[in-house]
Amino acid sequence: MFDEQIRQLLLTGVWETLKMTVISTLLAYIFGLPIGILLNLTDKNGIKPCLVVNKILGFIVNLLRSVPFLILLVTILPFTRAIVGTTIGSTATIVPLVVAAAPFVGRMVESSLQEVDSGVIEAAQSMGTPVFKIIYKVLLPEAKPSLLVGSAITITTILGYSAMAGFVGGGGLGAIAINYGYYRYQTDIMLVTVILLVIIVQVFQETGMRIAKLSDKRQK
Amino acid sequence: MSITGKEIIRVEGLNKTFKTSQGKIVALDDINLSINEGEIFGIIGLSGAGKSTLVRCINLLEKPTEGKVIFDGQNLTDLKSKELLKARQSIGMIFQNFNLLEQRTAIKNICYPMEIAGFSKKDTLKRAEELLELVGLSDRAKSYPSQLSGGQKQRVAIARALATNPKVLLCDEATSALDPNTTQSILSLLKEINRTLKVTVIIITHEMSVIEKVCNRVAVIDNSKIVEIGDVKKIFTNPESEIAKQLILPKWESRVKLVSDRSLRLIFDGNSSFEPIISNMALKFGVSVNILFADTRNIDGKAFGQMLIQLPEDENAVSRIKAYLDSRNIAYKEESLDV
Ligand SMILES: Nc1ncnc2c1ncn2[C@@H]1O[C@H](COP(=O)(O)OP(=O)(O)OP(=O)(O)O)[C@@H](O)[C@H]1O
Ligand SMILES: [Mg+2]
C-alpha cells in the first residue's frame, strides 16, 4: 500500500509512541504512586491524618491537572530543555507527559487505596502493623486489581497526550499524523496512524483490564 | 477454664469523647473494669451504647480521652507508638465482618501477623498450618476469603488472631453476622481456645444468649456507662438495671402491664432442683397460680431463671405458697405491679 520509506516511517512512529508512552507511564508512577499514597494517608479518614499536607498536596495536584496539556507542555519548555537538553522529539515529550500524568496517577492511586475496606486496615492495626507495612502489605496488595485498572486508564491517557504533543514537535505517531495528514494533505497516512493509535489503545486497555481481573481474588 | 485470679486487664476512669461537627459525643463515661486472666468476660449493651468504642480503647485503636488501660501490668496509654505496636501482638482481635485480607489465601492471612512480628518463614508456615488444624480448616488453606462461608471466615480470623500467642482475644460482635448454628460452633471454638490455650476472651455482643452460653462474668453497658457488672448467673437470675432486665427478659414490661394484682417473683439460682413446682402447688394446696412470665432452664438438674406468678386473693394461700417455696429452697420477692 505504501512504499518502503513510508512503512519505515510508520514503524518508527509506532516504536517511538510505545517508548514514550511506556517510559512516561513508568515515570509517572514513580512520582504519582507516592503522591497517591500520601494523599490517602493524610486524608482525615486515613491512617495518618494531616490536613495541612493533604490540602497543600491536593492543591498542587489539582493545579497541574487543570492546566490543558498543550499549554503545560509549552509552559515548561525551559524545564524540559534543562532536563533532556532539547525540546523536540519523543524523548523531550516524555518530560511534559510525566509532569501532566503524575498528578493524574496520584488521584487514581488515592481513589484505589480508598476502596480498601477500613475494617481490614483496622485489623492490621490491631495486629500491631506499623504504618509503612500497612502501605506495602495491606493497602497496595489489597488495592492491586483497582491499581491495575487505573494503570490501564493512565497508559491510554498518556498515549492520547503523546499524540497531541505531535503538534508541537513531539515524536511518534501523533507527529506523523500532523506532518503528513494535516500539513501535506496525505489523508491516507493520517488515517493509518489513527488506526494504529486505536489498535494500541485497545491492546493496552484490554490487556490491563484482563490482568486486573485475573489478579483479583474477590470473585471466583 | 482456669481463672487464676490474676488481673490481666484493668480499665481505670476511662472516658472517650468524640468531637464531631455536631458537637461532642460522649461514647464512654468513667468506665472501670478489671478482667482476670483466663476468664471469658462479656460486655453487653444495646446498639450505640459504646461497646465497640470500649474494646477499641482496650487495644488503643481508639485513644482514650481520659483514663488508663493497664494490660498485663503495663499502662498502654503511656507507651510509645513502637511499644504499643508490640503490645498489640499480645492482644488478638476479631470482628463482626471478619476483616480478612481479601487478596490473601486463608493460610496467608494467618501468616500475616507473624510476618509483622518477625517470625522466621519456616516457623510462620508451620504455625499457620497448626492453627488451621485447630480451627478445623486444614483443607481450605489455599482458599481465598471470597470462597469461604461466614463461619469459615471467622475461623480463619480466629486462627489469625491467635497466631502471635496473644494473652487476650477481643471479640467485637464476632457472631452477629452468623446464623444460630454457626454462632454456636464459633462460641464453642472460643470456649475451647479459652480452655486449652488459656487465652482470656472478651466478648462484645448485644445478644444475651451469647453471654449466657460462654461467659463467666458480664458487664452491662448502657448509654456510655457500665450499669451492672458481675457473675453471669447472678445477673441472669437477678438483673438490677433496667437495661439488663430488658436484655434478659425482652417481653417483661409488656406482659407485666396486663395485670395489677400482687405477684411473686421466683428466682431459681441453682439451689433448687428442676421440678414442676407450679403443678405441685396446685396439687398440694388446691390453689391455682397464674404464670405471668417464665424463663427457666434446667442446667445439670438444677433450676435457673425466673418466674413471675400472680398471687391468689386469699392471704392463707399466699403464706402457704411462701412456706412451700421456702421448703423447696426457692428464693422469691413480692412485687406490687402498678399498671
Ligand atoms: N469515630 C467516631 N466519631 C464520632 N462518634 C463516634 C465514633 N465512633 C463511635 N461514635 C459514637 O459513639 C457512640 C458509641 O458507639 P459504639 O460504636 O461504641 O457503639 P456500640 O455499642 O458498639 O454499638 P453497635 O452495637 O451498634 O456496634 C455512638 O453514639 C457513636 O455514634
Ligand atoms: Mg459496635
Side-chain angles (χ1 to χ4, degrees):
Chain A
M1 177 174 166
F2 299 114
D3 59 29
E4 183 56 32
Q5 200 197 342
I6 300 288
R7 247 183 281 158
Q8 199 52 50
L9 180 84
L10 287 172
L11 217 63
T12 316
V14 170
W15 168 244
E16 283 188 346
T17 294
L18 288 177
K19 189 184 81 179
M20 270 192 296
T21 310
V22 172
I23 294 178
S24 303
T25 306
L26 286 177
L27 289 172
Y29 267 88
I30 289 179
F31 295 104
L33 197 64
I35 295 176
I37 292 171
L38 209 57
L39 282 171
N40 178 272
L41 293 188
T42 56
D43 184 81
K44 70 173 192 304
N45 298 319
I47 51 175
K48 276 274 163 204
C50 180
L51 224 61
V52 184
V53 175
N54 193 267
K55 288 281 181 256
I56 293 175
L57 197 60
F59 178 76
I60 298 171
V61 164
N62 288 347
L63 191 79
L64 284 173
R65 290 200 56 206
S66 54
V67 182
F69 178 62
L70 282 182
I71 296 180
L72 180 86
L73 188 151
V74 176
T75 316
I76 66 163
L77 279 178
F79 177 67
T80 307
R81 188 191 304 279
I83 289 184
V84 290
T86 173
T87 60
I88 52 169
S90 57
T91 313
T93 311
I94 291 176
V95 177
L97 280 178
V98 172
V99 174
F104 175 77
V105 170
R107 286 293 184 207
M108 286 289 226
V109 169
E110 182 194 14
S111 94
S112 292
L113 299 186
Q114 233 139 45
E115 286 169 31
V116 177
D117 185 359
S118 60
V120 175
I121 298 166
E122 190 179 327
Q125 287 176 315
S126 79
M127 292 181 272
T129 318
V131 174
F132 184 64
K133 285 193 177 168
I134 289 195
I135 296 168
Y136 82 87
K137 276 191 177 283
V138 180
L139 285 176
L140 294 176
E142 287 294 294
K144 191 164 109 192
S146 169
L147 288 169
L148 285 169
V149 170
S151 69
I153 296 172
T154 304
I155 202 165
T156 54
T157 306
I158 288 181
L159 191 84
Y161 282 175
S162 83
M164 236 194 275
F167 248 111
V168 284
L173 288 172
I176 297 173
I178 304 288
N179 293 334
Y180 288 77
Y182 188 73
Y183 292 125
R184 297 191 206 164
Y185 303 106
Q186 285 182 292
T187 331
D188 51 348
I189 294 187
M190 186 172 74
L191 200 67
V192 172
T193 53
V194 171
I195 291 174
L196 286 172
L197 282 171
V198 169
I199 292 173
I200 297 174
V201 168
Q202 293 292 341
V203 170
F204 277 147
Q205 187 68 35
E206 268 307 302
T207 332
M209 295 309 255
R210 193 133 327 150
I211 295 173
K213 194 147 195 180
L214 280 176
S215 82
D216 195 351
K217 309 302 183 196
R218 281 172 299 185
Q219 64 251 5
K220 247 181 236 174
Chain B
M1 265 160 288
S2 58
I3 303 169
T4 57
K6 181 176 164 256
E7 182 180 71
I8 185 85
I9 288 176
R10 186 160 86 247
V11 174
E12 274 177 25
L14 187 74
N15 279 285
K16 177 72 196 180
T17 311
F18 290 106
K19 290 195 188 75
T20 67
S21 48
Q22 286 95 282
K24 285 186 179 176
I25 296 174
V26 178
L28 295 175
D29 186 2
D30 193 26
I31 302 287
N32 294 288
L33 264 183
S34 167
I35 296 169
N36 293 324
E37 199 168 61
E39 76 176 326
I40 305 187
F41 190 88
I43 298 174
I44 190 167
L46 300 177
S47 184
K51 309 181 293 291
S52 296
T53 310
L54 177 54
V55 264
R56 291 164 50 80
C57 279
I58 290 178
N59 62 4
L60 251 70
L61 279 179
E62 205 77 77
K63 202 167 169 14
T65 316
E66 241 180 275
K68 284 188 199 167
V69 177
I70 292 147
F71 165 71
D72 205 16
Q74 56 181 351
N75 185 355
L76 296 186
T77 46
D78 277 350
L79 294 185
K80 296 201 196 67
S81 65
K82 219 175 179 174
E83 299 164 328
L84 177 63
L85 292 179
K86 188 106 189 84
R88 281 197 190 138
Q89 290 167 9
S90 305
I91 309 176
M93 187 168 188
I94 58 172
F95 307 82
Q96 178 169 5
N97 299 319
F98 324 121
N99 295 346
L100 296 175
L101 295 151
E102 301 268 1
Q103 306 292 349
R104 282 188 178 222
T105 56
I107 191 145
K108 284 286 174 194
N109 261 286
I110 301 172
C111 290
Y112 178 86
M114 296 185 272
E115 290 167 20
I116 299 300
F119 284 41
S120 79
K121 268 216 162 73
K122 217 177 100 208
D123 292 348
T124 300
L125 207 62
K126 186 162 161 280
R127 177 143 178 81
E129 276 163 3
E130 286 166 8
L131 285 160
L132 264 181
E133 172 99 51
L134 174 78
V135 298
L137 283 177
S138 294
D139 52 332
R140 303 307 299 270
K142 295 268 152 50
S143 299
Y144 285 94
S146 63
Q147 300 164 317
L148 299 173
S149 71
Q152 290 169 332
K153 281 187 227 185
Q154 198 61 291
R155 283 169 184 273
V156 175
I158 291 172
R160 181 176 70 171
L162 293 175
T164 47
N165 287 310
K167 297 196 168 159
V168 173
L169 181 62
L170 305 174
C171 314
D172 189 0
E173 303 273 8
T175 57
S176 297
L178 306 173
D179 67 44
N181 286 339
T182 317
T183 295
Q184 184 56 58
S185 77
I186 293 291
L187 292 178
S188 307
L189 178 62
L190 290 176
K191 222 169 169 170
E192 185 190 322
I193 285 164
N194 167 259
R195 193 168 45 82
T196 57
L197 305 179
K198 321 268 184 255
V199 176
T200 308
V201 180
I202 298 180
I203 293 186
I204 307 292
T205 181
H206 60 270
E207 291 170 294
M208 213 49 180
S209 60
V210 169
I211 300 283
E212 180 197 354
K213 278 177 194 133
V214 289
C215 296
N216 312 117
R217 284 197 306 146
V218 62
V220 183
I221 178 165
D222 182 32
N223 228 332
S224 323
K225 288 191 178 74
I226 290 182
V227 290
E228 202 167 343
I229 187 164
D231 283 346
V232 170
K233 254 183 231 156
K234 186 185 144 280
I235 287 184
F236 256 88
T237 47
N238 203 358
E240 306 265 324
S241 60
E242 262 325 294
I243 197 77
K245 284 182 194 161
Q246 235 180 76
L247 286 161
I248 295 166
L249 320 165
K251 302 206 174 73
W252 173 274
E253 294 289 331
S254 56
R255 291 191 195 194
V256 162
K257 289 214 162 82
L258 293 175
V259 289
S260 59
D261 277 333
R262 292 165 64 197
S263 64
L264 209 57
R265 178 140 69 112
L266 315 189
I267 298 156
F268 303 91
D269 52 10
N271 289 326
S272 57
S273 56
F274 195 80
E275 57 185 297
I277 59 132
I278 298 298
S279 50
N280 284 353
M281 270 188 230
L283 289 172
K284 284 196 168 148
F285 322 120
V287 297
S288 57
V289 293
N290 192 11
I291 303 175
L292 300 175
F293 174 88
D295 183 19
T296 55
R297 58 210 85 197
N298 177 1
I299 302 174
D300 289 342
K302 299 283 180 206
F304 284 93
Q306 303 215 4
M307 191 182 286
L308 191 67
I309 58 173
Q310 196 172 21
L311 290 175
E313 297 281 289
D314 179 3
E315 261 314 314
N316 277 334
V318 172
S319 38
R320 275 193 315 230
I321 287 176
K322 286 183 176 172
Y324 170 70
L325 291 173
D326 287 337
S327 74
R328 308 311 305 164
N329 247 337
I330 298 166
Y332 55 84
K333 208 151 98 183
E334 190 163 337
E335 310 209 336
S336 67
L337 295 154
D338 307 316
V339 187

